[in-house]
Amino acid sequence: MTEPTETASPWYRSMRARRPDEHHRASTPLELLFDLCFVVAVAQAAVELHHAIAENHLGTGLIGYLTVFFAIWWAWMNFTWFATAFDTDDVPYRLTTLVQIAGGLVLAAGVSSAFERGDFTVITFGYVIMRLAMVAQWLRAARSDPEHRATALAYAVGITVVQLGWLLRLLLPEGLLLPAFLVLVVAELAVPALAERRGQPVWHPEHIAERYGLFTLIVLGESVLSATIALEAAFTETDHPIGLIALGVAGLVILFSMWWIYFEQPAHERLTTLKAALRWGYGHYFVFASAAATGAGLAVAVDYDLHIAHVGGLPAALATTVPVAVFVLVVWLLHLDHERMRRVSAAFPTAAALVVATSFTPAPIHLTALVMAVLTALLVAARRPASSVIG
């Protein structure tokens, strides 16, 4: 495996696999632009989930959110893993990536229609634009890199076939849309697992860990927005701001704790085999979706405190506590080195159970913040060497 080499023209480089041990590999400005544009889609999905819960449309809101978020996550994930192996940063690569970004913005434009009317037409077209641009990238890699040609062609064929399935799904009656969605999700997930078996997988562990970490920060940004909304409402929309200030502070504590436990240990150490990489990469659907949903839940809590939500106290609480609990459990499963952190390992599932239990108390958000703060403190304490303990 060699790093991309330039041909006679500086605007075009041979798309050969990059070395997985390449030094100083970091996210490029184009990757950061890609993430920035996906912020729009994530924010749209979170806003629609917030509105659906606040209007007491829990079932349709949750299904809509999970299906829309799959499209966002899967398109982002496929670009990220391709880029770690074949990013040439030349003009054709940049232009193809910009097409993918445009498809992401089309997807974002269709989120409201999907939630409000169950119309996934715009989302599907945006998604297919992104995925067919990805096919073009894989075909270029197949032409330039004989060593990985079989893998690249398997990706190109698999993605193309599944995209035809997404387009045909638009013709199905409403009753078959969800079953067809689940079948196509399985097909999408199967493509990398099958394609990577045709050759030596190529990924840069540190680069992948950084890319996932950056996207985690993006989805956690929804909680920042919700905490800000609570503080803004405290000072502008109520004569009794103390409760909303406390809610905003609790939201920030939850956010800070989620950030802390996610970045507590280096993730690249987990990416040692294809099986481990697939489990880690696929598992992040729940990390990303739960982090963004936490922001939506906090926004519901603000609406509830302002008496403008059409939902009871328990569902309003669960809108925050459930995604926080899911986040804690998935990070525990994906990130934690259980041997190294065995003293605190059991605290994660315990904290998740306690977070859900706070839903049945008068102050669920505040108690969730307390549980998360204690979990973070235990995690920090577990890192201290035994010799540093007083006495």
Side-chain angles (χ1 to χ4, degrees), residues 97-108:
T97 301
L98 293 177
V99 171
Q100 292 176 266
I101 291 174
L105 296 177
V106 172
L107 186 153

Side-chain angles (χ1 to χ4, degrees), residues 18-104:
R18 301 176 67 146
R19 293 180 54 178
D21 59 347
E22 180 182 342
H23 295 298
H24 309 297
R25 182 73 192 279
S27 297
T28 66
L30 183 60
E31 289 176 315
L32 298 178
L33 177 64
F34 191 91
D35 291 354
L36 179 64
C37 292
F38 266 67
V39 171
V40 179
V42 171
Q44 284 288 94
V47 166
E48 294 297 335
L49 177 63
H50 159 214
H51 291 161
I53 297 174
E55 295 296 325
N56 203 22
H57 303 307
L58 305 179
T60 57
L62 183 59
I63 292 174
Y65 176 75
L66 294 177
T67 54
V68 167
F69 205 93
F70 173 82
I72 298 169
W73 163 75
W74 190 244
W76 179 89
M77 177 173 161
N78 277 256
F79 167 77
T80 296
W81 285 84
F82 178 88
T84 198
F86 295 105
D87 184 357
T88 58
D89 198 35
D90 58 6
V91 171
Y93 178 85
R94 289 185 177 191
L95 291 177
T96 307
T97 301
L98 293 177
V99 171
Q100 292 176 266
I101 291 174

